[in-house]
Amino acid sequence: MKTRRTRSQDSVLEILQKLSRAISAQDLYAELRKRDVRIGLATVYRALDALKLEGRVQVRTLPHGESLYSLSHEDRHHLTCLRCGDSVAIDECPVHELETHLNQSHQFRIFYHTLEFFGLCEQCQAEEVVP
Amino acid sequence: MKTRRTRSQDSVLEILQKLSRAISAQDLYAELRKRDVRIGLATVYRALDALKLEGRVQVRTLPHGESLYSLSHEDRHHLTCLRCGDSVAIDECPVHELETHLNQSHQFRIFYHTLEFFGLCEQCQAEEVVP
DNA sequence: GTATCTGCAAAAGATTTGCAGCAAG
DNA sequence: CTTGCTGCAAATCTTTTGCAGATAC
């Protein structure tokens, strides 16, 4: 099964470029419909899968089971509170050197990585003591 | 709502300690039933949630939507192929220093982090050229 | 023409929730 | 007692699949 460049993939890419942030498949679907693109939800998933395999789109799956899609290297890393779910983006990333190393030592072609921190935010730490 | 130390949490912890690897909630449930522990799947999820909030258990969610649970700091990082799903564990981790730094700069109490790499394994790179 | 893509509806799977009964403090 | 835990079944939500028709090459 060869994979074709399709109109739906282009639509999906266009939205991701315009938004320039991570978004769920469902929201992406809503966004497309809002702009009068006639497309099915299943097709959004299929387009995202294809783009993922090409390394053009990256995915981060939340503990809740929902996945967020974004252009490769456009998503940031996060610090997420396990209690309230609040999430803060992080700028630092000490991983690139390791990524290069792994590319060679494992014969893998790495497209991207995810790095997420989990714990309790300041407020939830306080609530834990006096519930 | 105060949280109580429960028998089900103990059962869950015991299995995690015995197995000493990441496991899904469903498999954990099966494992418990196999050992004649009378417990419901929902209770397994509730126990895991509670332990997660205490920082004793960590979670890594797969792209597929399933979550794997393990004792904190017992899970490793991985290199996962986007095509075939094969996964290789990684030993290196350049993140601890950053974690300490974030603990201070963000007033977060960090329990653990996840770091996952995605791309194509050697075999799938080959198949991509000659499908 | 033939292989691939699409939309829709149905199916699958993981996790969560409602609720009545049980158990701990 | 009163509050929190448990099991079961039902509900929820995201993602996947089946299929007939449309489309690209």
Side-chain angles (χ1 to χ4, degrees):
Chain A
M1 179 195 96
K2 186 177 12 177
T3 178
R4 224 173 248 171
R5 159 84 341 161
T6 67
R7 197 179 323 144
S8 47
Q9 286 177 34
D10 288 341
S11 305
V12 165
L13 272 181
E14 192 187 323
I15 297 289
L16 287 177
Q17 278 157 2
K18 273 192 182 137
L19 296 185
S20 193
R21 60 178 175 79
I23 185 177
S24 71
Q26 308 268 353
D27 289 353
L28 191 47
Y29 169 67
E31 197 68 34
L32 284 163
R33 300 297 287 228
K34 201 197 307 179
R35 299 172 189 224
D36 294 321
V37 178
R38 191 172 168 284
I39 194 174
L41 178 57
T43 304
V44 173
Y45 278 106
R46 286 185 278 231
L48 286 169
D49 271 0
L51 292 169
K52 190 173 62 178
L53 275 177
E54 291 176 31
R56 307 192 53 167
V57 158
Q58 78 179 130
V59 192
R60 162 167 62 99
T61 305
L62 304 177
H64 162 240
E66 188 186 44
S67 294
L68 300 186
Y69 299 80
S70 59
L71 296 182
S72 282
H73 305 294
E74 255 199 6
D75 198 15
R76 319 256 295 283
H77 300 316
H78 300 81
L79 198 52
T80 302
C81 180
L82 290 168
R83 181 185 286 246
C84 66
D86 248 28
S87 194
V88 189
I90 294 168
D91 285 321
E92 296 95 327
C93 176
V95 179
H96 283 97
E97 196 176 333
L98 174 56
E99 189 167 306
T100 308
H101 172 59
L102 290 173
N103 250 315
Q104 300 166 346
S105 63
H106 284 81
Q107 305 289 85
F108 241 82
R109 194 200 315 162
I110 296 179
F111 290 151
Y112 64 91
H113 66 263
T114 65
L115 170 60
E116 305 292 318
F117 294 87
F118 297 93
L120 290 180
C121 67
E122 196 173 5
Q123 188 179 341
C124 286
Q125 284 176 54
E127 279 174 18
E128 197 179 48
V129 183
V130 191
Chain B
M1 179 196 96
K2 188 178 15 179
T3 178
R4 226 172 247 169
R5 160 84 340 163
T6 68
R7 200 177 321 143
S8 47
Q9 285 177 35
D10 289 340
S11 304
V12 164
L13 273 181
E14 191 186 325
I15 298 290
L16 287 177
Q17 280 158 0
K18 272 193 183 136
L19 295 186
S20 193
R21 61 178 174 80
I23 184 176
S24 71
Q26 308 268 354
D27 288 352
L28 190 47
Y29 170 67
E31 197 68 33
L32 284 163
R33 300 297 287 228
K34 202 199 303 180
R35 297 174 191 222
D36 294 319
V37 179
R38 191 172 166 282
I39 196 174
L41 178 57
T43 303
V44 173
Y45 278 107
R46 287 186 277 232
L48 286 169
D49 272 359
L51 293 168
K52 189 172 63 181
L53 275 176
E54 292 177 29
R56 307 193 51 168
V57 158
Q58 78 180 128
V59 192
R60 162 168 62 98
T61 306
L62 305 178
H64 161 241
E66 188 186 44
S67 294
L68 299 186
Y69 299 81
S70 59
L71 296 182
S72 282
H73 306 295
E74 257 202 1
D75 199 15
R76 320 256 295 281
H77 300 316
H78 300 82
L79 198 53
T80 302
C81 180
L82 289 167
R83 181 185 284 246
C84 67
D86 248 26
S87 194
V88 190
I90 294 167
D91 285 320
E92 296 94 328
C93 176
V95 179
H96 282 99
E97 195 176 333
L98 174 56
E99 190 167 305
T100 308
H101 173 58
L102 290 173
N103 251 315
Q104 300 165 347
S105 62
H106 284 80
Q107 305 289 83
F108 241 82
R109 193 201 312 162
I110 296 179
F111 290 151
Y112 64 90
H113 64 264
T114 64
L115 171 60
E116 305 292 318
F117 294 87
F118 298 94
L120 291 180
C121 68
E122 196 172 4
Q123 188 178 340
C124 287
Q125 284 178 53
E127 278 173 20
E128 196 179 50
V129 184
V130 191

